[in-house]
Amino acid sequence: MSNPISKENIAVVQRKLLFPFIMITSLFFLWGIANDLTNPMVSAFKKVMPELSNFEAALVQLAFYGGYATMAIPAALFIRRFSYKKGILLGLGLYATGALLFYPAAAYETFAFFLASLYILTFGLAFLETTANPFILSMGDPKTATQRLNLSQAFNPMGSLLGMLVAQVFVIQALRSDDYDNKTYQTLDIIEKAAIRENDLNIISFPYVALAVLVLIIFVIIAFTKFPTIKESAKMPLIDAFIKLKSNKRYREGVMAQAFYVGAQIMCWTFIFQYVDEMNLSRDEGSQLTATWYNMAAMLLFLIGRWLCTYLLKFFKPAKLMLRFAVVGVLCCLGAVLLPGILGLYALVGISVCMSLMFPTIYGIALNGMGDEAKLGSAGLVMAIVGGALMPPLQASILDWGGEGFADLQFFGYIPEVRLSFLLPALCLGVVAIYSYRSINIKV
C-alpha cells in the first residue's frame, strides 16, 4: 500500500488563478479535437482522390506528426525568450491559419495544399503543447503540479471524442465518394466525378474552417486575459541548458518513456479496427461488430480514467500510481493477445483506462523541479509524440507477415497475426512501468 500524500490543505488551483487556468485548459480540448478529427482523413482523402496511393494518403499522418517534430524546439526557444502567453497566442495563430487554409486547398483541389495546411496547423499544436503543459505545472503549488496537469489533460479526450464524432457524422458519412465502389465510380462521366470531388473536398474542409473560428475566439479571450507572472530563476546559457537536460537521467528517460507511451496509445486506438475486422470473419452478418463504437468506448474509459486519476493523485505518489496502471496495462495487452473472442476485445478496450494518466504524469515527473528550464525540457517531451508515427508501422508489419489478411498465420494454433501484434503495446507499456519504478525514489 502506498504511503498517502497529504494534500487536503493545498488547493490544486488557487481561486485567483481559476479563470487563467480554465483558459489554458481549453487548449487541451482544442488540440484533442484536431487530433481525432484528422485521424480518419487518411481514409477520407483516399476515397475522394482515388488516384492517391495508400502511401500518399498516409502522408496526412506524416504531415501531422512532422509539425510536432519540426516546431517543438523552436516553440521552446520562443517561450524561453518571451513568455508563456506569447507562445500560446502564436500557437493559436498558427493553428487558426492552418485550419483556414483548408478552404483554398479545397478550392484548388490540391492534395499537397491540404498537407501544407495540416503541417502549419500542427506548428500551432506544437506551440500549444510545448507551452500549456509546463504553464499548468507552474500555476500553483509544486506538490499538486502533476495532479493539476492531470486535471487539465482530462479535457483532452473530451475534445478527442468531439473530433471523432464530427469526423464520423459530418465527414465520413457525408462523403458522396463513399456511395460508389471503385468499379461503379469509374463508369461516371468527367462532370459527375468533378462535382463529387468538389462536394467532398468542401465537406472535408468545412470542420477545419469552423474550428479555426473557434480558435480565433479563444485567441481574443486569451489576449485580453491577465495571466500570473511566473517567478523564474535566472536563465542559464542555452548550451548549458541543453547539457543540463541531457545529464538529467529522470528527464532523459522520461522522453523515452513518453515516446513508448504515445506509440502504445496510437497502436491500441488504430489497430482496434483490424482486431474487430478479424473477429467479424467468424461472425454471421447479423452479429457483426462495429469497431467505431468500441473505439469510442475506449476513449470514454480513457476520459473516466483521467478524472479518476486526478482524484487518486491526492493520495498516491504519481510514480507509484503510474506503475500500478502500467502493470495492469501490460496484462490487458496480453489479454488482447491470449483471450478468445469478445474477452480479448474487452481487454483491448480496457487498456485505455490504464493509459489515461501516463502522458501528464510522465510530463510532471520528467519536468519536476526544473524551473525556467522546463520550457526547453517541454520540447523534448512534445517531440516524443513522434513515437505515435514510428510504432504503428512496426505493428502493421506484423499483420503483413502471412499476407494481406489479418489471420493468415496462426500462432500456437489459435492466435492470429493481428492479436499477436499487441505484444508491441505490451512492450511499450512495460517501458513505462520501468520508468515509473525507477522514478519512485529519485530525488529532485
Side-chain angles (χ1 to χ4, degrees):
M1 181 73 180
S2 297
N3 295 324
I5 301 172
S6 179
K7 297 179 183 176
E8 287 81 359
N9 298 323
I10 304 175
V12 176
V13 183
Q14 298 175 32
R15 183 167 296 183
K16 65 180 181 179
L17 299 178
L18 184 58
F19 185 73
F21 176 82
I22 290 172
M23 293 313 303
I24 302 303
T25 297
S26 72
L27 305 179
F28 293 80
F29 181 82
L30 283 179
W31 73 64
I33 297 175
N35 287 346
D36 285 272
L37 176 61
T38 301
N39 285 338
M41 292 305 140
V42 175
S43 173
F45 277 115
K46 186 71 177 72
K47 291 173 181 176
V48 178
M49 298 178 163
E51 71 275 11
L52 296 175
S53 67
N54 287 315
F55 172 79
E56 289 169 329
L59 291 177
V60 166
Q61 292 289 36
L62 183 61
F64 190 88
Y65 287 106
Y68 278 108
T70 303
M71 197 52 63
I73 289 179
L77 296 176
F78 181 89
I79 61 174
R80 192 173 187 266
R81 171 66 178 82
F82 296 101
S83 67
Y84 283 123
K85 182 175 180 179
K86 289 180 180 178
I88 288 168
L89 291 176
L90 180 55
L92 288 170
L94 289 167
Y95 188 163
T97 299
L100 286 171
L101 286 173
F102 269 70
Y103 181 79
Y108 283 101
E109 301 184 4
T110 304
F111 184 59
F113 202 154
F114 280 106
L115 293 180
S117 304
L118 192 59
Y119 193 48
I120 294 170
L121 185 154
T122 48
F123 283 177
L125 297 185
F127 259 89
L128 295 182
E129 291 226 34
T130 304
T131 306
N133 285 290
F135 198 10
I136 289 292
L137 289 172
S138 68
M139 292 177 71
D141 194 292
K143 292 181 180 179
T144 57
T146 300
Q147 187 182 4
R148 188 163 48 253
L149 185 55
N150 269 275
L151 176 59
S152 289
Q153 285 275 1
F155 289 86
N156 178 259
M158 295 172 68
S160 295
L161 280 168
L162 180 59
M164 284 182 185
L165 186 64
V166 170
Q168 182 66 27
V169 175
F170 295 100
V171 179
I172 303 299
Q173 291 184 358
L175 293 177
R176 289 178 59 192
S177 304
D178 205 27
D179 296 336
Y180 303 90
D181 58 35
N182 188 55
K183 192 173 182 179
T184 305
Y185 183 80
Q186 296 305 324
T187 64
L188 300 176
D189 61 41
I190 295 176
I191 295 176
E192 288 176 310
K193 288 180 181 178
I196 292 171
R197 187 186 186 98
E198 180 182 0
N199 174 80
D200 287 357
L201 289 178
N202 284 330
I203 287 173
I204 289 173
S205 69
F206 177 76
Y208 287 92
V209 174
L211 185 56
V213 174
L214 174 60
V215 170
L216 289 173
I217 292 172
I218 299 296
F219 179 97
V220 172
I221 295 173
I222 288 180
F224 288 97
T225 298
K226 184 177 181 180
F227 286 96
T229 300
I230 305 300
K231 187 177 180 180
E232 300 175 346
S233 56
K235 295 177 182 176
M236 65 177 65
L238 190 59
I239 296 299
D240 291 344
F242 276 112
I243 293 173
K244 181 181 177 182
L245 289 174
K246 186 178 178 181
S247 64
N248 186 325
K249 181 185 290 187
R250 186 186 65 251
Y251 170 76
R252 190 173 65 246
E253 292 180 356
V255 172
M256 183 180 297
Q258 196 73 287
F260 277 97
Y261 158 68
V262 176
Q265 182 195 85
I266 301 302
M267 284 189 284
C268 290
W269 291 352
T270 297
F271 291 98
I272 190 174
F273 291 91
Q274 288 85 343
Y275 194 99
V276 171
D277 286 343
E278 188 276 328
M279 290 179 62
N280 283 335
L281 294 175
S282 60
R283 302 173 73 92
D284 58 49
E285 187 174 341
S287 61
Q288 294 284 294
L289 303 174
T290 302
T292 298
W293 304 133
Y294 287 93
N295 200 30
M296 292 190 73
M299 183 60 70
L300 280 170
L301 288 176
F302 187 81
L303 173 60
I304 292 169
R306 278 270 167 90
W307 288 106
L308 174 63
C309 290
T310 300
Y311 174 74
L312 291 176
L313 284 169
K314 293 172 63 178
F315 310 104
F316 294 90
K317 290 183 178 180
K320 286 188 175 182
L321 186 62
M322 186 163 67
L323 175 60
R324 286 158 170 74
F325 274 65
V327 170
V328 176
V330 171
L331 294 176
C332 286
C333 289
L334 295 178
V337 175
L338 299 172
L339 293 176
I342 198 71
L343 292 177
L345 180 57
Y346 289 159
L348 176 53
V349 171
I351 298 170
S352 291
V353 177
C354 304
M355 296 190 297
S356 60
L357 85 162
M358 292 180 181
F359 187 94
T361 303
I362 293 171
Y363 220 109
I365 292 172
L367 296 185
N368 189 18
M370 282 196 180
D372 186 66
E373 299 316 309
K375 294 175 179 177
L376 189 59
S378 179
L381 291 161
V382 171
M383 289 183 71
I385 292 173
V386 79
L390 301 178
M391 301 295 180
L394 294 178
Q395 187 171 7
S397 68
I398 295 176
L399 271 63
D400 289 335
W401 279 356
E404 295 182 358
F406 306 134
D408 302 297
L409 293 177
Q410 297 284 329
F411 297 85
F412 305 107
Y414 79 101
I415 301 175
E417 299 141 295
V418 66
R419 286 177 178 257
L420 186 75
S421 70
F422 281 89
L423 288 176
L424 277 181
L427 175 64
C428 291
L429 295 182
V431 172
V432 176
I434 293 170
Y435 178 68
S436 303
Y437 179 78
R438 288 171 62 84
S439 300
I440 289 173
N441 296 317
I442 291 179
K443 293 183 179 180
V444 178

